Each structure stands twice: as C-alpha cells, then as structure tokens.
mmCIF file of all heavy atoms in Angstrom:
data_model
loop_
_atom_site.group_PDB
_atom_site.id
_atom_site.type_symbol
_atom_site.label_atom_id
_atom_site.label_comp_id
_atom_site.label_asym_id
_atom_site.label_seq_id
_atom_site.Cartn_x
_atom_site.Cartn_y
_atom_site.Cartn_z
ATOM 1 N N LEU A 176 -20.561 -57.562 79.961
ATOM 2 C CA LEU A 176 -20.343 -58.875 79.354
ATOM 3 C C LEU A 176 -18.874 -59.279 79.244
ATOM 4 O O LEU A 176 -18.589 -60.393 78.811
ATOM 5 C CB LEU A 176 -20.967 -58.896 77.952
ATOM 6 C CG LEU A 176 -22.459 -58.576 77.896
ATOM 7 C CD1 LEU A 176 -22.928 -58.459 76.454
ATOM 8 C CD2 LEU A 176 -23.258 -59.633 78.640
ATOM 9 N N GLY A 177 -17.970 -58.379 79.573
ATOM 10 C CA GLY A 177 -16.549 -58.681 79.453
ATOM 11 C C GLY A 177 -15.975 -58.187 78.137
ATOM 12 O O GLY A 177 -16.683 -57.691 77.272
ATOM 13 N N GLU A 178 -14.702 -58.349 77.984
ATOM 14 C CA GLU A 178 -13.982 -57.825 76.825
ATOM 15 C C GLU A 178 -14.127 -58.685 75.560
ATOM 16 O O GLU A 178 -13.832 -58.228 74.468
ATOM 17 C CB GLU A 178 -12.488 -57.678 77.170
ATOM 18 C CG GLU A 178 -12.203 -56.661 78.260
ATOM 19 C CD GLU A 178 -12.505 -55.219 77.842
ATOM 20 O OE1 GLU A 178 -12.444 -54.908 76.624
ATOM 21 O OE2 GLU A 178 -12.807 -54.409 78.736
ATOM 22 N N ASP A 179 -14.554 -59.917 75.704
ATOM 23 C CA ASP A 179 -14.684 -60.823 74.565
ATOM 24 C C ASP A 179 -15.882 -60.402 73.715
ATOM 25 O O ASP A 179 -17.037 -60.681 74.054
ATOM 26 C CB ASP A 179 -14.842 -62.256 75.058
ATOM 27 C CG ASP A 179 -14.974 -63.259 73.931
ATOM 28 O OD1 ASP A 179 -14.923 -62.865 72.743
ATOM 29 O OD2 ASP A 179 -15.139 -64.457 74.249
ATOM 30 N N ARG A 180 -15.624 -59.762 72.593
ATOM 31 C CA ARG A 180 -16.691 -59.235 71.734
ATOM 32 C C ARG A 180 -17.592 -60.327 71.167
ATOM 33 O O ARG A 180 -18.719 -60.045 70.779
ATOM 34 C CB ARG A 180 -16.102 -58.406 70.598
ATOM 35 C CG ARG A 180 -15.563 -57.082 71.068
ATOM 36 C CD ARG A 180 -14.959 -56.315 69.902
ATOM 37 N NE ARG A 180 -14.523 -55.008 70.354
ATOM 38 C CZ ARG A 180 -15.011 -53.865 69.893
ATOM 39 N NH1 ARG A 180 -15.917 -53.874 68.944
ATOM 40 N NH2 ARG A 180 -14.580 -52.724 70.361
ATOM 41 N N SER A 181 -17.118 -61.536 71.118
ATOM 42 C CA SER A 181 -17.953 -62.619 70.580
ATOM 43 C C SER A 181 -19.169 -62.889 71.465
ATOM 44 O O SER A 181 -20.158 -63.461 71.009
ATOM 45 C CB SER A 181 -17.135 -63.894 70.397
ATOM 46 O OG SER A 181 -16.753 -64.430 71.656
ATOM 47 N N THR A 182 -19.123 -62.458 72.716
ATOM 48 C CA THR A 182 -20.264 -62.647 73.622
ATOM 49 C C THR A 182 -21.291 -61.521 73.504
ATOM 50 O O THR A 182 -22.353 -61.595 74.123
ATOM 51 C CB THR A 182 -19.797 -62.736 75.087
ATOM 52 O OG1 THR A 182 -19.203 -61.497 75.476
ATOM 53 C CG2 THR A 182 -18.794 -63.868 75.278
ATOM 54 N N TRP A 183 -20.986 -60.505 72.724
ATOM 55 C CA TRP A 183 -21.875 -59.352 72.617
ATOM 56 C C TRP A 183 -22.986 -59.532 71.583
ATOM 57 O O TRP A 183 -24.046 -58.909 71.690
ATOM 58 C CB TRP A 183 -21.087 -58.103 72.253
ATOM 59 C CG TRP A 183 -20.028 -57.684 73.219
ATOM 60 C CD1 TRP A 183 -19.680 -58.282 74.407
ATOM 61 C CD2 TRP A 183 -19.153 -56.574 73.083
ATOM 62 N NE1 TRP A 183 -18.647 -57.609 75.010
ATOM 63 C CE2 TRP A 183 -18.300 -56.541 74.210
ATOM 64 C CE3 TRP A 183 -18.989 -55.598 72.112
ATOM 65 C CZ2 TRP A 183 -17.318 -55.589 74.394
ATOM 66 C CZ3 TRP A 183 -18.013 -54.637 72.287
ATOM 67 C CH2 TRP A 183 -17.190 -54.629 73.426
ATOM 68 N N SER A 184 -22.771 -60.333 70.572
ATOM 69 C CA SER A 184 -23.710 -60.447 69.446
ATOM 70 C C SER A 184 -25.150 -60.747 69.850
ATOM 71 O O SER A 184 -26.069 -60.189 69.250
ATOM 72 C CB SER A 184 -23.225 -61.504 68.462
ATOM 73 O OG SER A 184 -22.022 -61.097 67.877
ATOM 74 N N PRO A 185 -25.401 -61.606 70.836
ATOM 75 C CA PRO A 185 -26.806 -61.880 71.194
ATOM 76 C C PRO A 185 -27.546 -60.673 71.770
ATOM 77 O O PRO A 185 -28.761 -60.722 71.948
ATOM 78 C CB PRO A 185 -26.687 -62.989 72.247
ATOM 79 C CG PRO A 185 -25.352 -63.607 72.033
ATOM 80 C CD PRO A 185 -24.479 -62.492 71.533
ATOM 81 N N PHE A 186 -26.837 -59.598 72.039
ATOM 82 C CA PHE A 186 -27.444 -58.398 72.613
ATOM 83 C C PHE A 186 -27.497 -57.255 71.603
ATOM 84 O O PHE A 186 -27.762 -56.108 71.961
ATOM 85 C CB PHE A 186 -26.669 -57.977 73.871
ATOM 86 C CG PHE A 186 -26.637 -59.071 74.891
ATOM 87 C CD1 PHE A 186 -25.578 -59.960 74.940
ATOM 88 C CD2 PHE A 186 -27.695 -59.247 75.762
ATOM 89 C CE1 PHE A 186 -25.561 -61.000 75.864
ATOM 90 C CE2 PHE A 186 -27.686 -60.278 76.687
ATOM 91 C CZ PHE A 186 -26.622 -61.155 76.740
ATOM 92 N N ASP A 187 -27.238 -57.549 70.355
ATOM 93 C CA ASP A 187 -27.171 -56.552 69.290
ATOM 94 C C ASP A 187 -28.197 -56.932 68.219
ATOM 95 O O ASP A 187 -28.070 -57.971 67.575
ATOM 96 C CB ASP A 187 -25.747 -56.544 68.713
ATOM 97 C CG ASP A 187 -25.513 -55.444 67.717
ATOM 98 O OD1 ASP A 187 -26.219 -55.407 66.691
ATOM 99 O OD2 ASP A 187 -24.608 -54.626 67.957
ATOM 100 N N ALA A 188 -29.230 -56.110 68.045
ATOM 101 C CA ALA A 188 -30.311 -56.430 67.110
ATOM 102 C C ALA A 188 -29.816 -56.570 65.677
ATOM 103 O O ALA A 188 -30.320 -57.404 64.919
ATOM 104 C CB ALA A 188 -31.404 -55.363 67.190
ATOM 105 N N VAL A 189 -28.841 -55.782 65.286
ATOM 106 C CA VAL A 189 -28.294 -55.882 63.929
ATOM 107 C C VAL A 189 -27.638 -57.251 63.736
ATOM 108 O O VAL A 189 -27.863 -57.931 62.733
ATOM 109 C CB VAL A 189 -27.300 -54.732 63.646
ATOM 110 C CG1 VAL A 189 -26.558 -54.947 62.338
ATOM 111 C CG2 VAL A 189 -28.035 -53.392 63.625
ATOM 112 N N GLU A 190 -26.842 -57.659 64.701
ATOM 113 C CA GLU A 190 -26.171 -58.960 64.603
ATOM 114 C C GLU A 190 -27.163 -60.111 64.641
ATOM 115 O O GLU A 190 -27.000 -61.101 63.918
ATOM 116 C CB GLU A 190 -25.130 -59.110 65.715
ATOM 117 C CG GLU A 190 -23.958 -58.164 65.563
ATOM 118 C CD GLU A 190 -23.231 -58.327 64.238
ATOM 119 O OE1 GLU A 190 -22.881 -59.473 63.878
ATOM 120 O OE2 GLU A 190 -23.022 -57.316 63.546
ATOM 121 N N LEU A 191 -28.192 -60.002 65.455
ATOM 122 C CA LEU A 191 -29.220 -61.044 65.504
ATOM 123 C C LEU A 191 -29.922 -61.187 64.152
ATOM 124 O O LEU A 191 -30.167 -62.299 63.688
ATOM 125 C CB LEU A 191 -30.232 -60.741 66.604
ATOM 126 C CG LEU A 191 -29.723 -60.896 68.033
ATOM 127 C CD1 LEU A 191 -30.739 -60.340 69.017
ATOM 128 C CD2 LEU A 191 -29.420 -62.356 68.335
ATOM 129 N N MET A 192 -30.232 -60.059 63.529
ATOM 130 C CA MET A 192 -30.907 -60.104 62.239
ATOM 131 C C MET A 192 -29.977 -60.645 61.161
ATOM 132 O O MET A 192 -30.389 -61.443 60.311
ATOM 133 C CB MET A 192 -31.431 -58.714 61.875
ATOM 134 C CG MET A 192 -32.398 -58.720 60.722
ATOM 135 S SD MET A 192 -33.821 -59.838 60.895
ATOM 136 C CE MET A 192 -34.594 -59.209 62.363
ATOM 137 N N LYS A 193 -28.717 -60.257 61.201
ATOM 138 C CA LYS A 193 -27.753 -60.787 60.227
ATOM 139 C C LYS A 193 -27.623 -62.299 60.364
ATOM 140 O O LYS A 193 -27.531 -63.011 59.367
ATOM 141 C CB LYS A 193 -26.378 -60.146 60.436
ATOM 142 C CG LYS A 193 -26.257 -58.739 59.923
ATOM 143 C CD LYS A 193 -24.826 -58.250 60.172
ATOM 144 C CE LYS A 193 -24.586 -56.879 59.640
ATOM 145 N NZ LYS A 193 -23.200 -56.425 59.900
ATOM 146 N N ALA A 194 -27.617 -62.798 61.560
ATOM 147 C CA ALA A 194 -27.466 -64.235 61.799
ATOM 148 C C ALA A 194 -28.722 -65.010 61.406
ATOM 149 O O ALA A 194 -28.638 -66.193 61.076
ATOM 150 C CB ALA A 194 -27.122 -64.492 63.267
ATOM 151 N N ALA A 195 -29.864 -64.356 61.422
ATOM 152 C CA ALA A 195 -31.122 -65.041 61.128
ATOM 153 C C ALA A 195 -31.223 -65.443 59.656
ATOM 154 O O ALA A 195 -31.737 -66.510 59.339
ATOM 155 C CB ALA A 195 -32.300 -64.154 61.507
ATOM 156 N N HIS A 196 -30.774 -64.589 58.768
ATOM 157 C CA HIS A 196 -30.832 -64.842 57.317
ATOM 158 C C HIS A 196 -32.256 -65.071 56.807
ATOM 159 O O HIS A 196 -32.438 -65.588 55.718
ATOM 160 C CB HIS A 196 -29.969 -66.043 56.921
ATOM 161 C CG HIS A 196 -28.531 -65.901 57.261
ATOM 162 N ND1 HIS A 196 -27.688 -65.027 56.607
ATOM 163 C CD2 HIS A 196 -27.782 -66.513 58.205
ATOM 164 C CE1 HIS A 196 -26.482 -65.111 57.125
ATOM 165 N NE2 HIS A 196 -26.509 -66.004 58.107
ATOM 166 N N ARG A 197 -33.263 -64.755 57.629
ATOM 167 C CA ARG A 197 -34.652 -64.947 57.230
ATOM 168 C C ARG A 197 -35.528 -64.099 58.153
ATOM 169 O O ARG A 197 -35.098 -63.707 59.227
ATOM 170 C CB ARG A 197 -35.055 -66.406 57.331
ATOM 171 C CG ARG A 197 -34.989 -66.930 58.756
ATOM 172 C CD ARG A 197 -35.419 -68.379 58.870
ATOM 173 N NE ARG A 197 -35.282 -68.866 60.223
ATOM 174 C CZ ARG A 197 -36.119 -68.623 61.221
ATOM 175 N NH1 ARG A 197 -37.181 -67.880 61.031
ATOM 176 N NH2 ARG A 197 -35.907 -69.128 62.421
ATOM 177 N N PRO A 198 -36.751 -63.860 57.759
ATOM 178 C CA PRO A 198 -37.656 -63.119 58.633
ATOM 179 C C PRO A 198 -37.936 -63.881 59.928
ATOM 180 O O PRO A 198 -38.114 -65.099 59.919
ATOM 181 C CB PRO A 198 -38.936 -62.981 57.809
ATOM 182 C CG PRO A 198 -38.520 -63.189 56.393
ATOM 183 C CD PRO A 198 -37.349 -64.144 56.453
ATOM 184 N N LEU A 199 -37.958 -63.169 61.029
ATOM 185 C CA LEU A 199 -38.263 -63.754 62.329
ATOM 186 C C LEU A 199 -39.668 -63.395 62.809
ATOM 187 O O LEU A 199 -40.216 -64.067 63.674
ATOM 188 C CB LEU A 199 -37.237 -63.293 63.365
ATOM 189 C CG LEU A 199 -35.790 -63.680 63.082
ATOM 190 C CD1 LEU A 199 -34.862 -63.044 64.114
ATOM 191 C CD2 LEU A 199 -35.632 -65.186 63.066
ATOM 192 N N PHE A 200 -40.209 -62.318 62.271
ATOM 193 C CA PHE A 200 -41.511 -61.803 62.683
ATOM 194 C C PHE A 200 -42.292 -61.398 61.446
ATOM 195 O O PHE A 200 -41.712 -61.125 60.399
ATOM 196 C CB PHE A 200 -41.353 -60.577 63.594
ATOM 197 C CG PHE A 200 -40.506 -60.841 64.799
ATOM 198 C CD1 PHE A 200 -39.158 -60.539 64.809
ATOM 199 C CD2 PHE A 200 -41.060 -61.420 65.934
ATOM 200 C CE1 PHE A 200 -38.372 -60.795 65.921
ATOM 201 C CE2 PHE A 200 -40.283 -61.686 67.048
ATOM 202 C CZ PHE A 200 -38.933 -61.370 67.044
ATOM 203 N N ALA A 201 -43.609 -61.334 61.566
ATOM 204 C CA ALA A 201 -44.429 -60.873 60.446
ATOM 205 C C ALA A 201 -44.012 -59.462 60.049
ATOM 206 O O ALA A 201 -43.910 -59.141 58.868
ATOM 207 C CB ALA A 201 -45.909 -60.909 60.815
ATOM 208 N N GLN A 202 -43.743 -58.637 61.040
ATOM 209 C CA GLN A 202 -43.270 -57.277 60.815
ATOM 210 C C GLN A 202 -42.735 -56.735 62.127
ATOM 211 O O GLN A 202 -43.158 -57.158 63.203
ATOM 212 C CB GLN A 202 -44.380 -56.362 60.299
ATOM 213 C CG GLN A 202 -43.888 -54.958 59.972
ATOM 214 C CD GLN A 202 -44.906 -54.162 59.187
ATOM 215 O OE1 GLN A 202 -45.644 -54.703 58.383
ATOM 216 N NE2 GLN A 202 -44.951 -52.882 59.416
#
C-alpha cells in the first residue's frame, strides 16, 4: 500500500471497528 500509513486503516480490523463507533454485525 505504500509508506503512507493513512492508507492502511481500511485493511486493519481494529481500526475499522474503532472508526465504526457502533456494532456492524449481530455478532
């Protein structure tokens, strides 16, 4: 993805969950 770490977040489950701020799935 390159050296720009800001492009990595969509590929990191922890970051995706932090950005969601709410449940995305029943479980």
Side-chain angles (χ1 to χ4, degrees):
L176 303 173
E178 296 293 333
D179 180 1
R180 288 179 176 242
S181 68
T182 64
W183 299 359
S184 295
F186 302 94
D187 187 300
V189 171
E190 293 302 310
L191 290 170
M192 193 54 60
K193 284 181 177 180
H196 301 289
R197 63 179 177 78
L199 299 174
F200 304 95
Q202 184 167 326

